[in-house]
Amino acid sequence: QQVGVDFLWVALSPTLRGRVFLLDASEDVEALRKFTHSFSLAQHLAKCIVIGRDLNRRTLDLSLKPALVLEVWRVVIGRVCKVLAGVGINVQLGVGRFGRVHITDVHDVWVEDPLKGLAEGQLVTCCVVQVKGESRVDLSLRRSRGGCEGQAKPVEVVGEIVPEVASAADLSTGQAVWGYVKNTSSRGCFVALGRGVDAYVRLGNLAETFVSNPGEQFPPGKLVRCRVIDADAGTGRVEATLKMSATVVSKEGARAAAEEARALAMAELDVGSVVWGKVKRHESFGMFVELEGPARLSGMCHVSELADEYVRKPESLYSLGDRVKARVIRLDAEKGKLYLGLKPSYFADEAEQEKHGEGGNSQGKHTDLDASESEEDEAEEESEEEAESDVKESDSEQEDAEEDPVESHTSKPKPLSVDADMDWEGDGDGALDDASGAACGTTEAVDVEPVEGKNSKRDKKRLKEAREAEVAAKERARLSGEGAPKSAEEFERAVLTAQSSSFVWIKFIAWHVSRSEVAEARKVAERALEAIHFREDAERFNVWMAFLNLENMYGEPTPKEAVAKLFLRAVQATNAKKLHLGVVGMYERTEQNEEAEQLLKSATRKFSMSAKVWLRHIQHLLQLGKGDAAKAVMDRSLQSLPRRKHIKVISQTALLEFKIGDPERGRSIFEGVLRNYPKRVDLWSIFLDQEVKLGKSADRARALFERVICLSLPPRKMKTMFKKYLEFEKQHGDEEHVEHVKKQAMEFAEQNL
């Protein structure tokens, strides 16, 4: 009746039809390749075998060849349905029947590009090598087993026969093998050695030299030669190295030798030694440098030791793989820790420093080192406390941290409003806010006259921030008052005197927009991104957000396309997580909820280890009244985040429920977490503050207070809770309740003090 691309339609009777799938039409590959020409309309088919039926459509699945029986070593015809780089291909064998060809089963010999010539829809002959039920069939395209190896054989052939590696037991320590790169990450790559055997290669074992971009140098499907470091037959795990010149020993021996080499290298170093190394890793508190030499020692350089001036982010100065010169400022041989300094002042006028090093100047030098060490220790302690603490702020403090000027929905400013209080960052910690915050928080430091030679580094830093805040405040006042620029020439003079001020540039952009000169506003935004120094990350971020707001209102050909194109540029040039959250706030202000939802889903996938991103997604859903969806997102976040962040996410979600969601759900969440952590006074305090603030039932809050004072807590914490209880009763209760609290407090004091 009909000859289609994949099926033949056959009339069996006036009321019954059947179909023959392409792979069931013949056992001749050439006939199948010319499928539409091998059959014609009204052609008589002598024998058809029924292999399936569809009662609803009144059709039968037919085959013109014997039923397919999958047996090991049988050669069958299939069609490529998917090509997976570094993995292999998926092959369709019939209606609803599939198999896979591992990348090591494509050719008999190792080749540079094994999947070359194989494309979706291509017909291939393959050999069945393993059958594990209907859902798992392993195939081989090797010519030695009757396969076709594809139509276009690669030119570059290694020539060595591909061995059968069935398990880790077939490998031995020190054995040299070939393999194909399966996938690559920042920590290393996996190499396919056989059908079910993959070897893990750590980042340090990829090459003799440092590999700055593993994904580019080791793409999926690349042929590599490696040496087995360890093969565990019990677990099936294999570890290998691509350093063929290295001598392979057991893990225990390698670990012992490495520790001995590190100990010897540490013994050769002294405080003040100058060393060379490469940047290995960035952290919020500094960066790690791998020293040159066979021992591969790693040292930590605190952010305060990177430069003589303040540095916000280490990556703004040094990229991964950069070769740097450092001075050893502290050694801890027992713990094997090494602390480095990269300040240029450590290496300037070394001869003069040596000349005066024994005089009074040496004392000042030791004082500076001690100060930097104390700052380093404090920064590390603060980072650890921040990572391990879950919720240790009061409700008012959390509200301040959560409510961002841009993301507040009580009033929705226009996207290009340039009010002085506007936060262009979109997440509440922009450069303008930093400046105003510094001005408020360091008034004492401004009033104090600097005493030469007696100020610590912390005081100097505070004074510098205060001066910068004062200058920024004066600048904003000048640009916002009567003396604000009113023409392009005046704005040009303003940006010339303050090239790194995002506030001035944004004012300039807004001025053009107010005159309907959108094209000129775009040019000013591009100029601002070029003029602001790359180290001024916060200022550049403000301009990016202003630029995105501009495109969101006046983008061409459509605002959506313009924002998407500009976002791809911005995400490569600034803090990606911060940018995602800022654009989400922009979408929410303009009521583009679908775009905000899509961007938040992308952000939770990209920054799955960030509690802030997950909480922002939950907040967005609660603002839209999607409480069930918010709970589902919270459950997903607990599967992705480290355990130390779970309480933070749970408690913050409960807070959001109280504020913008369903308070009853918030109570349920708090009750659940307090059931597991009954002595967490911080959680009790937050729960109580929310109940009191809600103000619907004083009895409910009173019952919570009674539960808290019955807990077995240290006297200091109980004192805090009794004071909070007493203040509550003075505001919402009567004299009888106040006396009750005082009596309970006296009884506790008599029993425990």
Side-chain angles (χ1 to χ4, degrees):
Q1 280 191 331
Q2 183 181 350
V3 180
V5 178
D6 294 333
F7 290 95
L8 292 175
W9 287 96
V10 181
L12 302 176
S13 70
T15 59
L16 184 63
R17 293 204 314 167
R19 63 177 184 176
V20 181
F21 183 53
L22 179 146
L23 296 176
D24 295 323
S26 175
E27 293 182 335
D28 185 3
V29 180
E30 294 301 325
L32 295 181
R33 290 197 177 106
K34 303 175 182 179
F35 181 68
T36 56
H37 301 288
S38 299
F39 298 92
S40 59
L41 295 177
Q43 179 180 343
H44 175 68
L45 301 178
K47 183 179 179 181
C48 297
I49 301 174
V50 178
I51 59 176
R53 60 180 181 174
D54 189 338
L55 297 178
N56 294 329
R57 297 183 179 180
R58 298 181 62 83
T59 59
L60 299 176
D61 289 327
L62 307 175
S63 175
L64 302 183
K65 63 180 185 180
L68 177 63
V69 179
L70 295 176
E71 298 176 343
V72 177
W73 310 127
R74 179 172 182 175
V75 178
V76 295
I77 300 174
R79 184 171 65 173
V80 178
C81 57
K82 198 166 188 180
V83 179
L84 304 171
V87 179
I89 61 174
N90 291 342
V91 179
Q92 185 176 10
L93 302 176
V95 178
R97 308 192 74 174
F98 298 88
R100 68 169 191 174
V101 179
H102 194 263
I103 192 170
T104 57
D105 283 321
V106 177
H107 294 276
D108 283 316
V109 296
W110 297 105
V111 297
E112 290 292 339
D113 192 358
L115 301 181
K116 183 179 180 181
L118 294 170
E120 294 184 10
Q122 180 180 336
L123 293 171
V124 293
T125 56
C126 42
C127 176
V128 180
V129 293
Q130 194 173 24
V131 179
K132 293 183 179 180
E134 291 292 330
S135 60
R136 175 73 179 273
V137 180
D138 289 328
L139 308 170
S140 174
L141 295 186
R142 296 191 185 194
R143 198 174 297 276
S144 60
R145 289 182 173 171
C148 64
E149 290 191 345
Q151 296 302 307
K153 189 174 181 180
V155 177
E156 298 183 23
V157 178
V158 174
E160 188 174 329
I161 302 297
V162 179
E164 288 282 347
V165 181
S167 66
D170 297 335
L171 302 171
S172 59
T173 301
Q175 180 181 352
V177 293
W178 290 92
Y180 296 108
V181 176
K182 188 174 182 180
N183 55 56
T184 306
S185 69
S186 59
R187 297 185 177 182
C189 72
F190 283 93
V191 178
L193 304 180
R195 195 175 307 119
V197 183
D198 297 332
Y200 175 57
V201 181
R202 299 179 184 275
L203 179 64
N205 290 328
L206 288 178
E208 300 289 347
T209 58
F210 179 77
V211 179
S212 58
N213 194 337
E216 284 188 6
Q217 299 185 35
F218 297 92
K222 180 178 181 178
L223 178 65
V224 294
R225 187 166 178 81
C226 52
R227 191 181 299 276
V228 178
I229 295 177
D230 183 66
D232 191 337
T235 60
R237 295 180 179 177
V238 179
E239 185 175 348
T241 177
L242 301 187
K243 298 178 180 179
M244 300 305 296
S245 61
T247 303
V248 177
V249 295
S250 64
K251 279 188 175 181
E252 292 76 10
R255 191 178 296 112
E259 290 178 358
E260 183 179 356
R262 281 194 291 268
L264 291 174
M266 287 283 287
E268 295 176 357
L269 295 175
D270 295 317
V271 174
S273 300
V274 176
V275 294
W276 288 87
K278 290 186 177 181
V279 178
K280 183 180 180 182
R281 190 171 81 248
H282 290 127
E283 296 291 349
S284 59
F285 53 83
M287 68 183 188
F288 289 88
V289 177
E290 185 178 286
L291 305 189
E292 296 178 351
R296 300 180 63 183
L297 284 176
S298 288
M300 198 275 286
C301 180
H302 191 258
V303 67
S304 62
E305 295 293 336
L306 291 175
D308 293 310
E309 66 275 0
Y310 173 70
V311 177
R312 182 183 293 273
K313 292 185 178 180
E315 52 266 31
S316 64
L317 285 180
Y318 301 101
S319 302
L320 293 179
D322 285 354
R323 189 169 184 262
V324 295
K325 181 181 180 182
R327 186 179 293 277
V328 178
I329 60 175
R330 188 161 59 132
L331 277 170
D332 191 341
E334 294 182 358
K335 296 182 179 180
K337 292 185 178 180
L338 182 64
Y339 300 92
L340 306 173
L342 273 68
K343 291 182 178 180
S345 58
Y346 288 160
F347 312 104
D349 301 327
E350 291 184 357
E352 184 177 350
Q353 289 182 7
E354 290 177 4
K355 180 179 179 181
H356 300 286
E358 297 179 358
N361 214 18
S362 62
Q363 184 63 30
K365 179 179 177 181
H366 290 300
T367 304
D368 288 344
L369 289 178
D370 293 340
S372 64
E373 290 170 9
S374 62
E375 287 183 9
E376 177 182 331
D377 294 338
E378 290 177 8
E380 289 180 350
E381 290 173 3
E382 289 175 3
S383 62
E384 292 174 0
E385 290 174 3
E386 182 182 358
E388 294 176 0
S389 64
D390 300 308
V391 182
K392 294 188 177 180
E393 305 91 355
S394 63
D395 182 33
S396 60
E397 290 173 342
Q398 290 172 354
E399 288 180 1
D400 294 339
E402 291 171 1
E403 294 179 359
D404 298 335
V406 169
E407 297 175 0
S408 174
H409 291 264
T410 55
S411 62
K412 297 181 179 179
K414 296 180 180 179
L416 282 172
S417 172
V418 288
D419 182 45
D421 296 328
M422 180 71 173
D423 177 13
W424 285 95
E425 290 190 56
D427 67 352
D429 51 357
L432 301 181
D433 287 348
D434 285 345
S436 60
C440 295
T442 59
T443 53
E444 295 181 5
V446 174
D447 296 337
V448 176
E449 290 293 331
V451 181
E452 189 172 347
K454 293 187 178 181
N455 283 342
S456 67
K457 289 192 175 182
R458 191 180 301 275
D459 294 332
K460 292 177 182 177
K461 178 181 175 182
R462 194 181 300 120
L463 287 169
K464 181 180 178 182
E465 291 177 350
R467 285 194 294 269
E468 291 176 353
E470 185 179 357
V471 171
K474 290 180 179 179
E475 180 182 275
R476 292 175 62 178
R478 179 173 59 84
L479 293 175
S480 301
E482 296 180 356
K486 297 181 177 61
S487 65
E489 292 75 13
E490 292 180 1
F491 271 111
E492 290 291 351
R493 286 195 293 270
V495 297
L496 187 62
T497 57
Q499 289 190 355
S500 293
S501 174
S502 59
F503 185 78
V504 179
W505 286 105
I506 293 171
K507 280 281 190 180
F508 198 1
I509 295 171
W511 181 80
H512 278 298
V513 173
S514 66
R515 298 166 59 86
S516 300
E517 299 172 351
V518 178
E520 293 298 322
R522 289 195 185 95
K523 292 180 181 179
V524 172
E526 294 287 1
R527 284 176 54 198
L529 294 173
E530 293 180 2
I532 298 177
H533 196 273
F534 72 92
R535 293 183 181 176
E536 299 290 343
D537 188 61
E539 302 292 335
R540 291 173 61 84
F541 178 84
N542 293 340
V543 176
W544 279 116
M545 284 305 305
F547 203 171
L548 286 164
N549 275 280
L550 174 67
E551 296 295 356
N552 192 41
M553 291 297 295
Y554 307 102
E556 296 176 352
T558 63
K560 185 176 181 180
E561 294 177 4
V563 169
K565 184 177 179 181
L566 184 61
F567 181 80
L568 291 177
R569 285 180 55 197
V571 80
Q572 298 174 7
T574 187
N575 188 315
K577 182 171 76 172
K578 202 174 177 183
L579 184 70
H580 277 75
L581 298 179
V583 176
V584 167
M586 179 188 73
Y587 281 145
E588 288 178 338
R589 290 194 306 278
T590 54
E591 297 183 354
Q592 301 180 62
N593 294 324
E594 291 184 5
E595 286 78 4
E597 177 68 16
Q598 292 176 2
L599 188 59
L600 281 169
K601 288 181 179 179
S602 173
T604 51
R605 287 193 298 268
K606 188 172 183 179
F607 309 105
S608 59
M609 303 297 286
S610 172
K612 185 176 183 180
V613 173
W614 286 105
L615 287 169
R616 190 65 182 83
H617 195 179
I618 294 170
Q619 178 187 352
H620 173 75
L621 293 172
L622 289 176
Q623 288 168 345
L624 298 178
K626 300 179 180 180
D628 294 336
K631 185 179 183 305
V633 170
M634 185 190 74
D635 294 338
R636 289 199 348 253
S637 71
L638 299 181
Q639 297 175 4
S640 300
L641 293 169
R643 192 173 185 84
R644 58 184 170 81
K645 294 186 179 182
H646 286 188
I647 295 181
K648 176 182 178 181
V649 172
I650 294 171
S651 58
Q652 292 286 342
T653 303
L655 272 175
L656 291 171
E657 289 283 7
F658 268 100
K659 293 176 181 177
I660 58 177
D662 184 2
E664 196 58 43
R665 277 200 303 262
R667 293 188 186 99
S668 300
I669 295 173
F670 269 127
E671 291 288 354
V673 71
L674 287 170
R675 194 178 302 117
N676 295 323
Y677 301 94
K679 296 187 178 182
R680 289 291 298 265
V681 178
D682 51 345
L683 297 179
W684 282 107
S685 297
I686 297 171
F687 192 8
L688 287 165
D689 289 341
Q690 293 305 309
E691 287 290 1
V692 172
K693 187 176 180 180
L694 198 61
K696 290 187 177 181
S697 175
D699 292 336
R700 188 189 292 271
R702 189 173 289 116
L704 275 179
F705 275 115
E706 289 293 334
R707 287 171 57 187
V708 175
I709 64 175
C710 291
L711 297 174
S712 177
L713 298 174
R716 181 174 57 84
K717 294 184 177 181
M718 289 299 293
K719 178 182 177 182
T720 303
M721 300 312 299
F722 274 118
K723 287 178 64 177
K724 186 183 287 287
Y725 192 5
L726 186 60
E727 291 174 2
F728 168 76
E729 292 296 359
K730 287 180 179 179
Q731 293 180 7
H732 302 88
D734 50 23
E735 289 297 330
E736 182 180 352
H737 287 100
V738 172
E739 290 300 325
H740 170 71
V741 176
K742 292 180 179 180
K743 181 180 177 182
Q744 293 284 349
M746 291 297 295
E747 290 178 358
F748 176 82
E750 292 174 357
Q751 294 176 5
N752 297 275
L753 298 179

